[in-house]
Structure formats: C-alpha cells, structure tokens
Amino acid sequence: MAHANWIGGEFVASSSEETIAVVNPYTEEVIGHVASSSPADVDRAVEAALRAFSEWRWVPAVERGDYLHEVARKLREAEDALARQLTLEGGKPLVENSDEVGWTAASFDYYAEIGRHSRGRVIPSIESSQLSLVLKEPYGVVGCIVPWNYPLLLMAWKVAPALAAGNTVVLKPASVTPLSALMLARVFDHLPPGTVNILTGSGEMVGNALVTHPQVPVIAFTGSTGVGQQIAGLAAPHMKKLHLELGGKDAFIIAEDADPDVAVPGVAWAALLNNGQVCTSTERIYVHESLYTEFTALITEYVQGLVLGDPLDRATDLGPMARANYRAKVERQVADAVERGARVLTGGRRPPDQPTGYFYEPTVLVEVNRDMEIMCQETFGPVLPIARFVDFEEAIALANDSPYGLGANLYTHNASYVKRFYEEVRAGTLWINDPLTDNDAGPFGGFGMSGLGRELGEEGLDEFRETKHVHWDFAMEPKEWWYPYEEYNRLR
Ligand code: NAD
C-alpha cells in the first residue's frame, strides 16, 4: 500500500490510485511505494495551507521562532532514523546523511533567530508631519519543490525562512527520496495543522499543479536548469515570485603556489562528495602547468584509494549513484570525451566487484577540452576532468567559460590572485582554500543559468517577504501642488 500524504496535520490518502515505487540504489530493490498524487490532492493541500496561513501570519515572530527551534530539536532527535532512510533511498553514505540532518537542524535554528530579529524599517519622510514605513509581510502559501541529492537540507533552506516570515508551505519532495520527506510529518506535527503539508508525486503532475495554482504566489525550487526553465515559463502568466536554485558546472583553480598535500584531497572531496551529485560539485579542474604532472599523478592515486561499497557501512567513502539513468548520463559523457581525445587515468567504468547497485568508479580524465560535454554540461557524477593553464589571466577566463555560475574554488596564498578571483569570476559563491563550506548566514545561489534569488542569510529570508511601503501623513492638510490652485488657496 502506498504511503499517504501529510495534509492539514494528518495523513490523507491520495485521490489517485497511481503509485510511485521507491528503489534502494544499492540493492536495486523496491523498498516502498508512495502516492502519485493528483491535482485534486494539490488543491486540498493548498486549501489546508491557506486556512493555516490566516492564523500563522499573525503568530508573533518570537513565537514562530520557538516553533522552529522545536523543529530543529526534533530533527536532531530523529537523526539516526532520518539518515538511514535517506541512505536507503538515495544511496548517499550514512555518515554524510547524518551530517545532512545536523545541517538541516542548524538551518532551522538559524531562521528561528533571524526571523525574530529581522524587521522592516522607518525611512526619512518628505515632511515632518509624516511617517514612512517599509513593512515586510508574508506572501501566503509557498510551493517548495526539492531535489533528491540533499532532500532535507534543501527543504530547510526554503521551509525554515518561509515559515519564519509567516508563510505556510506545500512541500513536494523528489520521487527518488519521498519516504524520508514523509517522515518529516513527525518533525512538523507540533505546528498548527496545515502550516506545512507534504505531497508526493511526479514533477509533471504535482509540480506543475503547484506552479500554476492561482493561490500559490511563490514557488521555491531547487533542481535542474531545464526544469527551472519550464517552471519559469509556466509561472510567468501568473506573475509568481520565483526562487530558482539550478544546476552548475563549478571550476576549481589550483595556482602554482598550492600545496599538493592539501589540494589533492581537497579537490577530490569537492568533486566526489555524494558521488559528485552536489550542485556545487567541482566539475572542471584547472591546474597551473608547473603542478599539472604531479597533481594528476597524486590525485589518481588518491582516488584509487577510496572505498566503494554499502552506503550504510560507515567505512564507505562512495556509495552507488542515486539512479541508473544518472549513471547512464555520466557514462555517455565520459564516452563522448574519450571519443574526442580525452584519456582516462583511473575509473571510467562500473566497478567489477559490486554485484548490484548503480556504482561508477571515480574517474580522472585528462586531455579534455572545452567542446567536450564533460567540460560544458552538468555531469552530476564522480568525474574529475583536469586541464592545465599557463597564467592566472587564462585561469579566470577558463573559470568563466560556462553559462552556469553557481560556485567556484581556488587554492592559493597569492593575495592578488584572490582579489582578481573574487572580483572577476561570475559565480554566487567563491571558496578560497576551503572548498564547499556552507554558512547559514552566507547567501547561496547562482549567476546566469544557475538560477534566480538567494537562499540562506538575510537574503534567504527576504525571498519569502513581500515589501510594502506605507506613507502616513498625520496632518491631513491640502497640498500646494494639487489642482485647481484656486482651491488650494481657498482651503488655506
Ligand atoms: P530535477 O529538476 O529533475 O527535479 C527537482 C524537483 O523538481 C523534483 O522534486 C521533481 O519531481 C520536480 N520536477 C520535475 N519536473 C517538474 C516540473 N515540470 N514542474 C515542477 N516540478 C518538477 O532535479 P533533480 O534530478 O532532482 O536534482 C538534480 C539537479 O538539481 C541538478 O541539476 C543539480 O545541480 C540541481 N541542484 C541545484 C542546487 C542549487 O542549490 N543550485 C542544489 C541541489 C541540486
């Protein structure tokens, strides 16, 4: 039997008979079914969220903060069960999923606090008898659509600020990881019923119904650029507020002064965390020519030492990829690169010793060029394509050689390189000497094809607040610029 949706504070069976099978990417076995919900289910969830909004918006911000801290506490309490479920559905190693639950809780704690303190403002008025206010208000029902690679964390980056700002939420998880999302019902069940609703189903059915729903004024989406473009098209006639966190093709520059003992494991981590299925995965590596031979040899050896295996085993470095079709895309891109002259230093195949699971060996590729798919399209897999550069001017040009602009990394102690890097590279997050570290207070998002808007930080709260300017004149006097001027003079 399929798991029910969580609507209005209770589990409600879908009106649709259709179901979606959830697969364990390590065993390739079906581990459960969820509802493939219908537009009627979306209507029901939006109605519940609208009813809840009429009260939640007036709950004092301090009290909303208490509710969010309690969400964080319950997440930490459920860490083991949630991490295990995430691993069973998505194949990410248990250790990394435990981290994800902790980061998710921290994001709720962060927005519990800044939601309490962040306010509108009083601005200078035109005349002394006036007061001008800038108010920040919730929009209403926010549709949150999230991917499978960090299903809880990316939920938190939307749901926590949306709730802190006084909105209510309809959450649609990815069909790869719906069971862990439904477990969140227990994490949210102290909130007034309908404040958060969780609906499983396909992007085409549930996602589209949310995106076009007239009573959902905001869509907060994380996923691929292609789906983000579709959402933008569908939402345009409704003039919805869109928040889009999309794909990336992040570059990593290793300058000539970088220490290979740090750069090798650092770059490998940035490229291979969660099998490279991270939006900010390093997908293009540019090494100064003086370090190139040493770096490629060392990183090949390092990558060969990583342990592939059961993601529930705490000794595993890399589990399976999340689905067979994601691996097939990586295989296609590597084959294309090899056909055009790239050379595989290690990997480039499924590991022969794993009988089941969507595994792909971490792969180091050299002699790559900008025209290969592996250097210009998102890969989302465990591949490290490495090219060389001659001077920093060229390194910056290479980093910017992409329509995406999510993040970029640099290893150097050279301050003039650092300055040029952060001034000239077009990306939302720039990491210098510490790849991929997120900070709840640091805004996160993309330039260009990597999206619109920012998550995290105060910017992340503002995405869920409508701005209203109030101009209040206490005097109620006639104005000299009114017409007819005779009337003004008569009133005076
Ligand atoms: P996806 O775009 O296939 O799906 C994301 C979500 O959108 C899922 O819940 C899916 O069901 C839903 N969806 C699919 N079609 C839809 C439609 N037509 N209308 C509405 N919703 C629809 O992405 P994915 O495979 O789940 O995740 C991987 C992608 O996400 C990668 O491209 C990655 O770079 C990106 N990503 C970006 C960030 C970021 O912060 N920028 C973070 C993580 C992942």
Side-chain angles (χ1 to χ4, degrees), residues 9 13 37 42 71 79 91 94 99 121-122 138 148 161-162 171 178 232 299 321 340 384 406 458 467 487:
S37 303
V42 174
V71 170
E79 179 182 309
L94 191 62
D99 286 346
R121 60 194 195 277
V122 180
W148 47 265
L171 170 70
I299 205 159
M321 295 188 65
R340 292 163 186 245
L384 298 91
L406 197 54
E458 295 191 21
T467 301
E487 180 67 1

Side-chain angles (χ1 to χ4, degrees), residues 65-285:
D66 292 341
Y67 277 108
L68 296 194
H69 278 311
E70 180 61 6
V71 170
R73 193 195 62 73
K74 287 161 89 174
L75 279 163
R76 292 190 178 101
E77 197 176 75
E79 179 182 309
D80 290 348
L82 280 168
R84 193 180 151 78
Q85 187 60 49
L86 285 168
T87 296
L88 292 176
E89 297 176 300
K92 179 148 44 85
L94 191 62
V95 184
E96 292 177 27
N97 280 325
S98 295
D99 286 346
E100 179 176 349
V101 178
W103 300 334
T104 304
S107 294
F108 273 94
D109 276 336
Y110 173 76
Y111 279 110
E113 288 308 312
I114 69 158
R116 289 172 159 170
H117 301 126
S118 182
R119 288 287 164 280
R121 60 194 195 277
V122 180
I123 57 173
S125 302
I126 310 292
E127 293 177 23
S128 58
S129 65
Q130 297 170 342
L131 185 64
S132 283
L133 306 172
V134 178
L135 302 184
K136 297 285 182 177
E137 296 187 347
Y139 282 90
V141 179
V142 176
C144 297
I145 303 176
V146 296
W148 47 265
N149 62 338
Y150 286 89
L152 299 195
L153 187 66
L154 299 170
M155 172 282 297
W157 291 4
K158 296 164 186 57
V159 174
L163 295 181
N167 304 279
T168 56
V169 163
V170 177
L171 170 70
K172 192 205 96 58
S175 298
V176 175
T177 50
L179 296 172
S180 48
L182 288 171
M183 285 171 72
L184 296 174
R186 267 189 279 152
V187 168
F188 291 123
D189 65 6
H190 61 290
L191 295 168
T195 308
V196 174
N197 306 274
I198 306 167
L199 211 60
T200 60
S202 72
E204 292 73 23
M205 188 72 86
V206 174
N208 282 3
L210 261 182
V211 169
T212 54
H213 199 293
Q215 281 167 312
V216 178
V218 185
I219 294 293
F221 168 82
T222 298
S224 56
T225 296
V227 172
Q229 287 168 321
Q230 283 177 34
I231 288 176
L234 288 170
H238 304 269
M239 282 299 163
K240 294 202 181 200
K241 160 86 177 165
L242 286 186
H243 176 89
L244 303 174
E245 296 288 344
L246 308 178
K249 192 77 195 166
D250 289 11
F252 207 135
I253 300 174
I254 294 96
E256 62 272 27
D257 66 318
D259 176 355
D261 288 344
V262 177
V264 165
V267 171
W269 188 79
L272 296 175
L273 179 69
N274 192 12
N275 257 319
Q277 299 170 125
V278 182
C279 53
T280 49
S281 281
T282 289
E283 296 209 352
R284 297 176 292 141
I285 301 159

Side-chain angles (χ1 to χ4, degrees), residues 43-55:
D43 286 345
R44 191 169 180 167
V46 172
E47 279 163 26
L50 262 180
R51 273 196 304 278
F53 177 64
S54 63
E55 295 190 7

